[in-house]
Amino acid sequence: MKGLTRRLLVRLGTGLVMVWVVATFTFFLVHALPGNPGDAQYEQYLTQGMAPETARAKVAVIYGFTSHEPLLQQYTSYMWQLLQGNLGVSISYTGEPVVQVIRAALPWTLFPVLTGLVVSFLVGVTAGVVAAVRRSSRWGGLLSLSGSLVAGVPSFVLALLLAFLFHTLWQILPFGDTSDVTLEPGFNGPYIASVISHAVLPVATYALLSYGGWLLAMKSSVVSVLGDDFILASELRGITPLTRMRYIARNAILPLFTVLALSLGFMFGGSVLIEDIFDYPGLGNLLLKSIGARDYPLMGGAFLLITVAIVLANILAELLYSVIDPRVRR
Amino acid sequence: MTDTVQLTAERAEAAAEVSVRDLTVLYRTDQGELPAVAHADIDLPTGTITGLVGESGSGKSTLALSLMNAIPAPGRISSGSIQVNGVGDVTRLEGRALRRVRGRALGYVFQASQNSLNPLKTVGKQLLDLGRAHDVQDMRGLVRRARELADEMGMDGARVLDSYQHELSGGMRQRVGIVLALVLNARVLILDEPTTALDMLSQAAVLEIVRKVHRQEGLTTLVVTHDMGVVSEIADRLAVMYGGRIVEDGPATEVLQRPAHPYTRALIGATARITGDTDTARALPGRPPDLTTVPRTGCVFRERCPLAMDVCAETEPQLLTWAPDRRRACHADPATTAATGEGA
């Protein structure tokens, strides 16, 4: 257990370093951009007839620094603001702190992405086991084929297809935004039902996108475990088929946990396209809008958050792994 | 003298714990179904340790697996019977009945280098899985019995049950394998290459344990090995396989001292002694056959045999009793094979 705590601390440390690197990168990215958006903003204020001091102060509020100070000082002041949880002020959402903008959008990415991931993991892994065990039968072949097919479709094609079929053609599911705007947000039946029905299409897209990957990965993992000696040994000891199946599944699922953590990060990235297509106001949509509006503070904040999410997911995977695999527990 | 030998032979015949009759195991290959074991006839007399030796590919492991009716696809038992005392013909069993026999009546121990334990569960938890699979009511009793067996084999029973596979040494894994094979009081113990991949001291320890447990539990034991040293160490009886055929069997000491088949003689001759000149060990020329290269007609060994005659290419020699309690499948005169044994 002592080793586990130490490894976790090491992970946490490297995670912090990663976050710091990304924050630094974002800072210098904003600086390296042609025309330095901070300066541009400053000049814009000046042309609007604002006094230089007021304009400088306004820019400092937005970006956490002004380019009139030496670079190092700008950097330390930016980092100092960051440590206090201040990511600056959004430009496109005038005056609103970036933290608040992100906090409003985050649940609408977290909830569909996590739901989609859990659904696809459970379904894909189960289907993978079946596809492996029945790999010589027709059903097993069809399952594997379904995995390869779905895994090969680009995310935006799938999203557009689903939107066309279920919204435009059959008109079963709503499209755009997180709920019906006429409803009062809160803990009431119609609102929750509306949220769920609005989330179905994005969730289904996330789930379908990763389902094929899980299926194929689990299938190959199960096939390799099936050839392990201890499976034959347990068969020769007369262990029941159900227990043997559990032995196989648990051993086969191990390598997938690392992938699970990584894919969480990938799905956050993937949310940019999918939320844009479904016009779903999550983090990905926010990121895209901020890029379009050259809202650098917001962009930086979104990048940082995605980094933190990936780091946390990796730590979580490490923890899970050590719970499930005794060989890494020491 | 001859009479008493005859008598014991007959008694052994009557009290065979396992008797294999005319067993043929076929494997599907590109060239059709080919026999990995052909017309094998062998008895495991109650209370004895039988050594089954041969080169890799000789069919000895296939024969051992067929005792559990566990030939992996694309293989199958195509004919013959395997009568086990108190169980009946194993080759006729399937499904639940077969599963019950495995582990309860027949204990199978894997090669030490192979990982026969689930790496994610402690030995104790796997023991409970075993108990549940065989509807053991008294789980405490089962654990107590496992602990006793482990203690008998020179391990700390309580600690072993609490361990994962990766926390055990090769020799300990092997002993845990034996514990799991015997904990449900199996009468027949089958060990597949029990000493392969172990260091010399662990080998000696495992053999000592096999001998001890065999005696204490009154088992009937089959040891599959390619190591003549192991056989001379613990076996009461010895059967030699080549190209899927049993080519010779009999009491171990007699076969080792007076081999009656040129292949047995070559096997013994190829074993290096620990002391003395290693040049006295003589490798058998040629390569052991596999499924596709075994001669289809005549004697399977004739291509590597120093005594090969014309008849060997035409007629396959039958496994026949040529002296009390001894059988061999060879056209050559028994006197020739024994006599040249010392000369080589």
Side-chain angles (χ1 to χ4, degrees):
Chain A
M1 228 43 202
K2 207 171 182 182
L4 177 64
T5 332
R6 212 190 62 212
R7 237 191 0 262
L8 257 178
L9 282 177
V10 170
R11 276 273 164 156
L12 221 57
T14 44
L16 277 176
V17 170
M18 256 171 78
V19 172
W20 170 71
V21 167
V22 170
T24 308
F25 178 75
T26 322
F27 171 82
F28 285 106
L29 185 74
V30 172
H31 270 263
L33 284 168
N36 188 341
D39 284 355
Q41 188 76 39
Y42 172 69
E43 274 152 28
Q44 199 189 335
Y45 283 138
L46 286 185
T47 52
Q48 284 168 1
M50 205 177 279
E53 282 75 33
T54 337
R56 208 174 295 162
K58 279 200 102 161
V59 170
V61 167
I62 293 171
Y63 288 97
F65 58 85
T66 56
S67 48
H68 294 267
E69 294 161 342
L71 196 63
L72 192 69
Q73 202 177 325
Q74 292 176 38
Y75 177 67
T76 46
S77 109
Y78 172 74
M79 279 296 164
W80 178 240
Q81 296 290 326
L82 198 66
L83 276 179
Q84 291 168 321
N86 186 357
L87 294 170
V89 174
S90 163
I91 299 170
S92 44
Y93 294 73
T94 26
E96 239 185 291
V98 168
V99 175
Q100 250 169 52
V101 178
I102 286 177
R103 194 183 290 154
L106 183 62
W108 300 114
T109 293
L110 214 55
F111 149 66
V113 162
L114 283 182
T115 316
L117 195 63
V118 168
V119 168
S120 75
F121 187 75
L122 292 181
V123 175
V125 160
T126 315
V129 173
V130 177
V133 174
R134 300 245 175 279
R135 63 188 176 286
S136 46
S137 81
R138 188 179 338 151
W139 282 111
L142 277 178
L143 263 178
S144 302
L145 189 69
S146 79
S148 319
L149 273 180
V150 173
V153 178
S155 60
F156 59 94
V157 172
L158 192 66
L160 285 173
L161 187 71
L162 287 182
F164 171 72
L165 287 181
F166 289 92
H167 179 74
T168 315
L169 195 63
W170 298 326
Q171 303 187 348
I172 324 175
L173 288 167
F175 176 91
D177 218 330
T178 59
S179 66
D180 198 333
V181 282
T182 57
L183 293 168
E184 182 73 23
F187 198 75
N188 59 67
Y191 176 71
I192 291 172
S194 169
V195 164
I196 290 174
S197 65
H198 276 77
V200 168
L201 280 179
V203 167
T205 312
Y206 290 128
L208 273 174
L209 274 179
S210 47
Y211 152 84
W214 295 129
L215 190 153
L216 297 178
M218 188 64 181
K219 184 192 165 190
S220 77
S221 188
V222 167
V223 167
S224 100
V225 172
L226 277 173
D228 278 358
D229 297 319
F230 75 91
I231 296 300
L232 178 60
S234 63
E235 193 179 339
L236 293 186
R237 288 189 193 115
I239 298 292
T240 55
L242 190 70
T243 309
R244 278 211 312 276
M245 211 57 239
R246 279 213 298 271
Y247 282 15
I248 293 166
R250 227 184 116 188
N251 275 279
I253 213 168
L254 275 180
L256 268 70
F257 269 94
T258 334
V259 190
L260 183 65
L262 288 176
S263 73
L264 192 64
F266 279 121
M267 282 180 102
F268 266 107
S271 71
V272 172
L273 271 177
I274 290 164
E275 285 176 6
D276 185 48
I277 288 169
F278 290 115
D279 196 17
Y280 202 80
L283 206 61
N285 209 339
L286 198 68
L287 186 63
L288 203 65
K289 274 188 191 150
S290 70
I291 292 170
R294 294 187 196 279
D295 189 344
Y296 295 104
L298 191 54
M299 240 189 279
F303 282 143
L304 208 59
L305 191 79
I306 289 173
T307 315
V308 171
I310 293 174
V311 168
L312 281 182
N314 272 309
I315 292 174
L316 198 70
E318 178 101 343
L319 263 177
L320 274 175
Y321 210 108
S322 61
V323 167
I324 199 169
D325 190 345
R327 283 165 295 189
V328 297
R329 207 173 285 163
R330 271 177 300 169
Chain B
M1 177 72 189
T2 318
D3 281 339
T4 53
V5 173
Q6 194 80 50
L7 211 69
T8 45
E10 271 165 13
R11 205 175 58 211
E13 177 79 25
E17 193 74 18
V18 177
S19 50
V20 178
R21 288 289 168 270
D22 195 35
L23 179 76
T24 298
V25 178
L26 297 179
Y27 270 86
R28 204 169 53 242
T29 69
D30 297 340
Q31 304 170 26
E33 280 196 310
L34 298 174
V37 172
H39 309 293
D41 250 354
I42 189 175
D43 282 335
L44 306 184
T46 309
T48 61
I49 300 182
T50 304
L52 184 61
V53 293
E55 290 163 287
S56 25
S58 63
K60 55 191 195 306
S61 289
T62 307
L63 179 57
L65 276 176
S66 47
L67 296 186
M68 309 292 288
N69 193 358
I71 300 296
R76 65 183 180 95
I77 296 176
S78 69
S79 69
S81 69
I82 300 168
Q83 292 289 337
V84 176
N85 201 2
V87 171
D89 188 352
V90 178
T91 61
R92 300 263 169 272
L93 295 178
E94 54 187 331
R96 197 177 151 84
L98 177 61
R99 186 171 70 68
R100 288 312 191 77
V101 167
R102 294 171 176 171
R104 200 182 258 291
L106 304 165
Y108 195 98
V109 181
F110 264 78
Q111 197 175 315
S113 64
Q114 294 172 316
N115 300 323
S116 69
L117 295 168
N118 183 345
L120 303 183
K121 282 190 149 195
T122 60
V123 174
K125 288 216 176 101
Q126 293 180 63
L127 175 70
L128 294 182
D129 284 343
L130 182 66
R132 272 191 291 273
H134 291 279
D135 289 337
V136 172
Q137 299 303 318
D138 179 15
M139 284 293 186
R140 280 166 195 281
L142 183 75
V143 172
R144 204 180 314 120
R145 169 99 174 107
R147 217 180 285 160
E148 276 167 17
L149 276 169
D151 288 338
E152 257 174 49
M153 295 183 194
M155 296 186 290
D156 178 350
R159 222 206 77 200
V160 162
L161 289 185
D162 238 3
S163 302
Y164 290 96
Q165 173 185 265
H166 67 273
E167 297 168 330
L168 303 172
S169 71
M172 284 167 91
R173 285 179 202 182
Q174 188 66 333
R175 281 179 267 178
V176 168
I178 299 175
V179 169
L180 290 177
L182 293 180
V183 72
L184 294 170
N185 299 316
R187 307 312 309 147
V188 179
L189 180 64
I190 301 162
L191 300 129
D192 188 1
E193 303 278 3
T195 57
T196 310
L198 292 180
D199 61 81
M200 289 306 276
L201 290 177
S202 305
Q203 281 192 16
V206 164
L207 288 184
E208 185 53 50
I209 281 160
V210 169
R211 197 179 0 228
K212 185 175 155 193
V213 173
H214 169 82
R215 206 170 33 231
Q216 270 175 10
E217 308 290 325
L219 302 171
T220 302
T221 306
L222 178 70
V223 179
V224 177
T225 181
H226 60 259
D227 187 341
M228 293 303 271
V230 169
V231 170
S232 63
E233 189 84 13
I234 62 168
D236 304 314
R237 300 184 58 81
L238 174 57
V240 182
M241 280 191 86
Y242 185 87
R245 276 77 172 171
I246 295 173
V247 293
E248 176 167 15
D249 76 347
T253 44
E254 279 186 43
V255 175
L256 287 171
Q257 277 165 14
R258 259 179 348 117
H261 192 284
Y263 177 62
T264 316
R265 201 158 56 70
L267 265 188
I268 298 167
T271 311
R273 306 287 185 281
I274 239 175
T275 54
D277 198 348
T278 47
D279 290 347
T280 57
R282 213 162 285 262
L284 181 58
R287 259 188 282 163
D290 60 31
L291 274 186
T292 53
T293 57
V294 168
R296 306 282 170 89
T297 55
C299 173
V300 285
F301 185 58
R302 66 168 195 273
E303 282 161 9
R304 299 167 78 189
C305 182
L307 305 174
M309 303 174 288
D310 289 345
V311 61
C312 301
E314 288 148 21
T315 333
E316 184 174 349
Q318 299 299 304
L319 184 64
L320 297 170
T321 308
W322 63 280
D325 201 21
R326 290 197 60 180
R327 296 185 302 170
R328 55 177 217 138
C330 184
H331 291 304
D333 185 351
T336 345
T337 55
T340 45
E342 294 314 306

